[in-house]
Amino acid sequence: MKPQEIAKDIYDVGIRDWTCSDFHGFSTPRGVTYNSYLIVDEKVCLIDGVKAPFGPKQLYDISEVLPPEKVDYIVVNHVEPDHSGSLPLLAKACPNATMLITPQGANELKEHYGDIFKLQIVKKGDTIKLGKRSLTFVPIPMLHWPDSMVTYCPEEQILFSSDAFGQHYCCSKRFDDETEVENMFYEAQRYFANILMPYAKLVPNAVKLVRSLPLRMICSCHGSIWRSHINDILDKYEAWGTGKTLDRIIVVYDSMWGGTAAMAAAIMDGIQAQGMRAKLYRYDSSLKAVIVSDILTAKGLLVGSPTQNGVMMPTMGAFMMYLKGLKPMGKKAAAFGTFGWAGGAQKELEAAITASGMELLPGYNCKWRPLPADIKAAEKFGYEFAQKVSGK
Ligand code: FEO
């Protein structure tokens, strides 16, 4: 069956990886897509490859539209293997195709697959004519890798935006107005938090650039196509990129014998008594991506762990390492927990908060299990933390 046309002579030859529930450690309960588009004009151009195991399916879909030897260009917006994995296969099947890529991308491609491709370097503002249509290239370094770029087709008013505006979201329909768009926004937030958060400061400029373009569609390389909610997703990116937050605190902990869990519950009572909204998670690695998505839009974060063998629990250690990489901006944070004959977790949690770039506030811990007086003190700690975070 011929692939779906998303606009006249522009075909969806991407992949829906319905059963992928883990994308390099990021849980993806709604599956993953690797989007790719074939533009058929006087010259034929493929936008992006797909993950390696799906190369034969992408090639089959291309050949349903035209013989692969007719492909003149392959735009490589991004070299991460979810988009470049099929390129070695495509290079053989499309011998007349030149790959259009940034200078950084050209190096990365060689470093991944060897010197096997016919490449043409493109720089900011470079344009190629396909016939009735043209394509203009704009690098967006670090969104998501140094090589990343977006490709704009002015005649169609379509932006092929690479990872930007993506969602790990499989849907049998292609467009935002054919699905439950709130699921797309939810997955776009999870995507931003878990993939783009370390580079969030670069986002407002990218949004400004996108807003300056006449746009009919944003085709990210992940998820469904934005066409009826373009301004909404741009507003959200602007908010996430500028660190706009809700009056909310996220509390994340793990516990051995229930002491830290009891403190967490009391801290929640204190936060809510102060008037701030709060959300409580007992850490579980399967929830990591969801927790981080909530942290993106929260003003404050509390992390808790008992001391185990002189250090924080390994579960919380893994979580704090993940946060260190993501560098959540503009948050106030503190640590809490219990200890026995000697402490250790509190100090480690506090060092990890600082290493993540968050502002460290005083924490609270208690010896062995919290007794009623300690529970009262934990409530007070939660209340006062909420006061400091809200500024009220
Ligand atoms: Fe979808 Fe950064 O790759």
Side-chain angles (χ1 to χ4, degrees), residues 198 301 303 312 317 319-329 331 333 346-361:
L301 174 67
V303 285
M312 71 175 115
F319 179 61
M320 297 312 290
M321 184 60 79
Y322 193 55
L323 279 186
K324 182 179 171 186
L326 291 176
K327 296 187 176 46
M329 69 161 108
K331 319 280 174 207
Q346 183 82 9
K347 200 169 143 207
E348 286 202 330
L349 284 168
E350 290 181 345
I353 287 170
T354 303
S356 303
M358 295 180 280
E359 183 187 344
L360 178 66
L361 298 184

Side-chain angles (χ1 to χ4, degrees), residues 23 78 80-83 144-145 148 163 168 191 195 221-222:
F23 182 87
H78 181 24
E80 193 163 9
D82 46 335
H83 311 295
H144 165 223
W145 277 11
S148 295
D163 278 347
H168 284 324
Y191 189 91
I195 304 278
C221 57
H222 293 295

Side-chain angles (χ1 to χ4, degrees), residues 143 164-165 185 188-189 192 196 199-212 230-245 296-297 329:
L143 295 174
F165 312 111
F185 288 130
Q189 179 169 337
F192 188 104
L196 300 180
Y199 318 111
K201 285 187 178 146
L202 304 171
V203 168
N205 269 346
V207 171
K208 202 167 151 195
L209 168 80
V210 176
R211 281 198 200 280
S212 71
I230 288 175
N231 280 331
D232 298 327
I233 189 63
L234 290 177
D235 289 348
K236 286 186 185 293
Y237 258 60
E238 202 161 68
W240 299 331
T242 52
K244 197 168 168 191
T245 49
L296 175 69
T297 53
M329 69 161 108

